[in-house]
Amino acid sequence: MNDPTQLKSYTPEALRERFRRDGLPAYRADQVLAWIYQRGVEDFAAMTDLGLALREQLEASWRTRALEIESVQRSTDGTVKAVLLASDGAAIESVLIPEPGRNTLCVSTQVGCPLDCSFCATGALGFTRNLGVAEIVDQVCRMRELLDPGQALTNVVFMGMGEPLLNLPAVLDAIRVLVHPKGMAMAPRRITVSTAGVVPRIRPLLAAAPVNLAVSLHAATDEVRDQLVPLNRRFPLAQLMGALRDDDLITPRRPVFFEYTLIEGVNDSPEDARRLGPLLRGIPSKLNVIPMNPHPDSSYRAPSDAVIDRFTAEVHGQGIRVTLRRSRGRDIDAACGQLRARGAGPGGSVSL
Ligand code: SF4
């Protein structure tokens, strides 16, 4: 939801402009942003370098929190999943993945998702609405509070609930807050946006923000991809891969990260692996193979370890840079394709 009184819905430039229009010096906006994003203080009363009258004025006009944490689950592998509630009661999920030397946060961009990928628990929920900028940014603020003392967030991936490119303006403004020196000052290359393949919005994303692009591929033929990612009927493989191949913003220094969920008997054959060579040829890229994470709404299963190993070896033999990604947080349904916060559900629609 876009709420004009919600401070986190403004990029730093927009907040300075808004303060000027309200008759306040622009540097006051910088001071407030430093408290919120750099020091993690959201209560105006605690912003001690602002005068008392100004603190009271800000308190009366602005809100600084868009989400509240409803529940937190911790996996045996250290992964943390939280259900976050928006002011209208909508529930979304964010997942924190601590690893040695890095702490990655997976954020949601929509309540539910309209794309209905057949292996995904979020898709099974249907779509309710887009998240507003503040609701995306606040996932980062709330979730970093769950880090162990002394730890900092290092990476953000837009791979939670929803298709980010169907909410592109809000995603771009949220990225602007994350990377701005007066915002969270993150390096853009530490941010990854994932898409199921909304072809016309890939170039605008790449041109607007120097972030990483991930593409949910999951199949090497239209026949199988139509089943797994129904968006493929709208933007088939030839169109998707052609757009990526032709995009001069995709380079060896800025490759595409293809995601391939490996599903027993569906897309795990040696022929599938061999088809990936010609499909990815000419696109600077890496392929992440992720064995299917089961969930109750799906009969799909991961292949055996032997099949997974044979598949990745065959892909590697095609000259593709491939990584096998073992899932994190499966015991708390926090792995890819398992997010399904209650509160999402049929009701909304978005246009492509
Ligand atoms: S995989 Fe991503 S795009 Fe597909 S339904 Fe799930 S959340 Fe939506």
Side-chain angles (χ1 to χ4, degrees):
M1 277 195 322
N2 282 314
D3 171 358
T5 68
Q6 180 52 255
L7 200 138
K8 289 187 185 125
S9 62
Y10 289 75
T11 63
E13 283 82 9
L15 192 68
R16 291 178 122 234
E17 182 53 36
R18 172 65 200 270
F19 269 44
R20 266 193 223 105
R21 274 193 280 123
D22 290 349
L24 294 171
Y27 75 88
R28 292 296 193 194
D30 297 345
Q31 286 176 295
V32 170
L33 290 170
W35 280 106
I36 290 178
Y37 293 127
Q38 281 145 37
R39 301 189 209 176
V41 172
E42 301 189 338
D43 183 356
F44 289 114
M47 298 182 187
T48 47
D49 57 356
L50 308 178
L52 184 59
L54 177 57
R55 281 185 257 162
E56 285 173 356
Q57 181 187 342
L58 293 171
E59 184 74 49
S61 335
W62 291 98
R63 298 170 61 227
T64 55
R65 286 169 87 98
L67 299 171
E68 297 296 339
I69 292 180
E70 190 201 47
S71 62
V72 176
Q73 283 179 281
R74 290 179 191 271
S75 162
T76 50
D77 67 15
T79 303
V80 180
K81 180 176 80 170
V83 176
L84 300 146
L85 286 185
S87 57
D88 65 350
I92 54 165
E93 292 183 342
S94 304
V95 180
L96 196 55
I97 307 152
E99 291 168 289
R102 63 196 263 161
N103 292 302
T104 302
L105 176 65
C106 178
V107 296
S108 296
T109 53
Q110 298 181 309
V111 184
C113 182
L115 295 189
D116 199 19
C117 298
S118 60
F119 57 89
C120 174
T122 307
L125 291 171
F127 173 70
T128 301
R129 66 173 174 84
N130 280 333
L131 292 180
V133 180
E135 292 166 331
I136 299 173
V137 171
D138 218 16
Q139 290 173 69
V140 184
C141 296
R142 297 283 71 79
M143 295 299 287
R144 69 181 178 177
E145 294 167 357
L146 301 177
L147 284 165
D148 289 339
Q151 293 290 311
L153 199 63
T154 59
N155 295 66
V156 172
V157 294
F158 288 76
M159 290 186 184
M161 300 168 75
E163 162 55 55
L165 298 197
L166 293 182
N167 190 11
L168 185 57
V171 166
L172 286 177
D173 270 355
I175 290 171
R176 288 179 185 116
V177 174
L178 296 186
V179 303
H180 199 286
K182 296 188 192 310
M184 293 199 198
M186 289 188 71
R189 291 302 165 87
R190 300 253 180 192
I191 296 172
T192 300
V193 178
S194 176
T195 179
V198 185
V199 172
R201 298 196 188 165
I202 289 176
R203 176 76 187 187
L205 166 76
L206 294 175
V211 295
N212 299 308
L213 174 71
V215 172
S216 302
L217 188 60
H218 307 314
T221 65
D222 280 325
E223 192 190 352
V224 177
R225 198 162 190 268
D226 281 354
Q227 256 185 65
L228 296 177
V229 184
L231 183 70
N232 194 67
R233 295 178 203 142
R234 181 81 182 268
F235 303 114
L237 277 172
Q239 196 178 340
L240 172 62
M241 304 310 267
L244 298 174
R245 199 169 282 117
D246 292 345
D247 198 316
D248 60 4
L249 293 174
I250 295 169
T251 65
R253 288 176 60 83
R254 196 184 183 190
V256 178
F257 296 88
F258 287 110
E259 309 284 325
Y260 194 103
T261 299
L262 203 59
I263 307 172
E264 183 182 49
V266 175
N267 61 359
D268 62 345
S269 71
E271 294 73 40
D272 289 316
R274 285 194 284 274
R275 285 186 188 109
L276 287 169
L279 195 65
L280 271 57
R281 193 157 296 138
I283 305 172
S285 60
K286 296 179 183 175
L287 184 82
N288 289 320
V289 172
I290 310 147
M292 172 74 196
N293 296 305
H295 61 84
D297 296 324
S298 171
S299 57
Y300 293 144
R301 293 283 170 265
S304 67
D305 285 350
V307 171
I308 294 170
D309 290 345
R310 185 187 65 196
F311 185 89
T312 49
E314 193 76 52
V315 170
H316 184 70
Q318 303 285 307
I320 294 170
R321 288 193 289 171
V322 57
T323 305
L324 177 61
R325 240 180 42 204
R326 295 287 178 190
S327 287
R328 302 282 309 257
R330 279 171 65 161
D331 56 330
I332 55 168
D333 286 349
C336 288
Q338 289 186 313
L339 300 187
R340 44 176 298 147
R342 62 163 183 75
S349 66
V350 288
S351 55
L352 298 184

